[in-house]
Amino acid sequence: MIKISKHILIAVIALASVSASAQTTTNSPYSQRGLGDLKGLLLPQNLGMGGISMGVRKPGPYYNINPANPASYSALQLTTFDIGATTDIRQLSKVGTSENSFNASLSHITFAVPVNAKSALSIGLLPFSEMGYQFKVASQIDTNKTNFIYDGDGGLSKAYVGYGFSVLKNLSIGANLGYVFGNLKENRSAVFPDQPAALNSRIQDSRSVEGFSYDYALQYTAKLTDATKLVIGYSGNAGGKLNSKNSIVSTHFRLDAMGNESPALDTVFNAEGTRQNLKLPLTHTVGFAFEGTNKWLVGMDVSYAKWSDFKVGNVNGGLSNTYGVA
């Protein structure tokens, strides 16, 4: 027990040291919706297998932490530490133009330690969502050229502690208690690019988000032959609520002849500390993995999330339900 506590203490210190840089960046117009681009709980080894995770249980001659299905922790027999970085190369295009972007940052840090022969504990820090976009709508007010510019950045991270254990010879269950936190910032600006003396306006909406989430899961393992096995898995999240502390500031600014922006000239409106609840959706994922021990693995996952229930305060976010197959 002292050895386990020592491992956990080291992992907690490591998590704390990287928490400030755990959020990654993105360039995607789709991240304007909801909480941004959702990242899930998949580590690179799951992404490298097409995104499957429900039936993944120690795939190969190494021990693998699989936060997407906490029931898999019960297979861990060695203390395991996993840290990684991520890069994102993306091209956005429309008729007549295209834009390339490159981002790199810390991806995740996870740790797991066996409690006994049938159970293990895991803690970690993973990206939850990313926001990064900017686009312009050219218009005209009277005879004045006007650009309406929309941009946003930030992201949410998820720190978790999970436990998985075998309840029967072939059946394991597990759960993650997660804490979601981070900041999202969005701007809406009206700019007169051809008039340096004009007053341009901007509304900045900043949200500090935090709250708990709960994942539950199970895995059933069927040994088919001495060299093959089938693992069936399920993971779900009951949704829940996040707390959002909002700050809305409206300012005026000018552009010089070179297009450089001046500091804010005034504050037209300032609302600090308003609070809202963000309602997260119910999610389900079910899948299987058919494995030739330490040689090959074939699997499939099917997922569903009821994002039509997503609300900011009492306002429905207008999103559609999502379905996925890996």
Side-chain angles (χ1 to χ4, degrees), residues 16 60 72 106 115 275:
S72 66
L106 180 69
V115 176
R275 295 184 178 273

Side-chain angles (χ1 to χ4, degrees), residues 8-23 81 83 106 108-110 123-125 159 181:
I8 293 174
L9 178 60
I10 293 172
V12 169
I13 292 172
L15 287 173
S17 67
V18 301
S19 62
S21 60
Q23 297 178 12
F81 183 77
I83 185 171
L106 180 69
H108 66 275
I109 177 169
T110 57
I123 62 176
L125 180 67
F181 64 96

Side-chain angles (χ1 to χ4, degrees), residues 59-70:
Y62 60 92
Y63 288 90
N64 180 62
I65 303 174
N66 180 12
N69 190 320

